[in-house]
Amino acid sequence: GAVVSQHPSRVICKSGTSVKIECRSLDFQATTMFWYRQFPKQSLMLMATSNEGSKATYEQGVEKDKFLINHASLTLSTLTVTSAHPEDSSFYICSANGHTSYEQYFGPGTRLTVT
Amino acid sequence: AQSVTQLDSHVSVSEGTPVLLRCNYSSSYSPSLFWYVQHPNKGLQLLLKYTSAATLVKGINGFEAEFKKSETSFHLTKPSAHMSDAAEYFCVVGRGGGADGLTFGKGTHLIIQP
């Protein structure tokens, strides 16, 4: 149980275009979902926290107009990287937790490459 | 505010010998503490978690960690390393309720020598 999926697993896009990444909780309802970013050989940095039906809370230094987060249902959150640039290339990981657990369940990640 | 310091960026041990990965934390709240492992090109896997119950926490694959409040430490240990343990390990702190984002340490790369 407690499986989180991400789609796509890899995406390559051209500079200036937008790309959407989906995060789904497959067998539980996620009250809260989180988006992290991981640079090569570095740690994960929390980007934002999203609660179903409300606006996401962004961490300091994360541009909310560039990284659009939508949490439309208890099983789906999306991250849209708008007007992507090469410096946005990274590994994006989502996680989700339910009502009854301290644990966050992580998705497998999405590798974004902007050319 | 909360932070995590993993004291070693790389640890190398021989197969069959003990593993010690060090972690110190700071938190303004009663923390939840976790160890996650990340194998190359794979997602994060939870090894174990501390959430204010027993201070010695046993996890998967023979790993365990001890929460020491007086030392603000949560070191990860394993009695005997296996080749499959080679991976990146992250010490992570969260607020007690679990509804907030996690703060990750910089990671420790564990190398297992044959």
Side-chain angles (χ1 to χ4, degrees), chain A residues 5-65:
Chain A
S5 70
Q6 282 184 241
H7 178 80
S9 58
R10 291 176 180 268
V11 58
I12 300 172
C13 70
K14 292 189 176 180
S15 187
T17 62
S18 296
V19 61
K20 180 186 286 187
I21 302 169
E22 292 186 348
C23 176
R24 293 181 185 272
S25 56
L26 297 184
D27 50 3
F28 67 103
Q29 292 186 329
T31 51
T32 307
M33 287 184 166
F34 305 87
W35 288 94
Y36 295 84
R37 181 172 181 176
Q38 185 178 28
F39 290 101
K41 300 187 187 238
Q42 293 190 32
S43 189
L44 279 74
M45 299 294 293
L46 178 67
M47 298 174 67
T49 301
S50 73
N51 292 293
E52 184 264 339
S54 61
K55 289 185 178 180
T57 302
Y58 290 81
E59 295 298 301
Q60 192 172 10
V62 178
E63 299 176 59
K64 59 181 68 176
D65 293 330

Side-chain angles (χ1 to χ4, degrees), chain A residues 6 8-13 19 21 35-47 66-67 79 81 84-94 108-115, chain B residues 38 41:
Chain A
Q6 282 184 241
S9 58
R10 291 176 180 268
V11 58
I12 300 172
C13 70
V19 61
I21 302 169
W35 288 94
Y36 295 84
R37 181 172 181 176
Q38 185 178 28
F39 290 101
K41 300 187 187 238
Q42 293 190 32
S43 189
L44 279 74
M45 299 294 293
L46 178 67
M47 298 174 67
K66 181 164 188 64
F67 297 100
L79 168 68
V81 183
H85 287 94
E87 57 266 30
D88 299 325
S89 299
S90 194
F91 196 51
Y92 292 88
I93 303 173
C94 74
T110 296
R111 186 161 303 283
L112 170 63
T113 303
V114 184
T115 61
Chain B
Q38 187 179 38
N41 300 315

Side-chain angles (χ1 to χ4, degrees), chain B residues 21-22 29 33-34 46 54 58 63 83 92 98 107 112 114:
Chain B
L21 304 184
R22 298 182 294 167
Y29 313 96
L33 292 160
F34 310 81
L46 179 68
K58 294 188 183 297
F63 285 95
M83 294 300 291
V92 181
I112 311 296

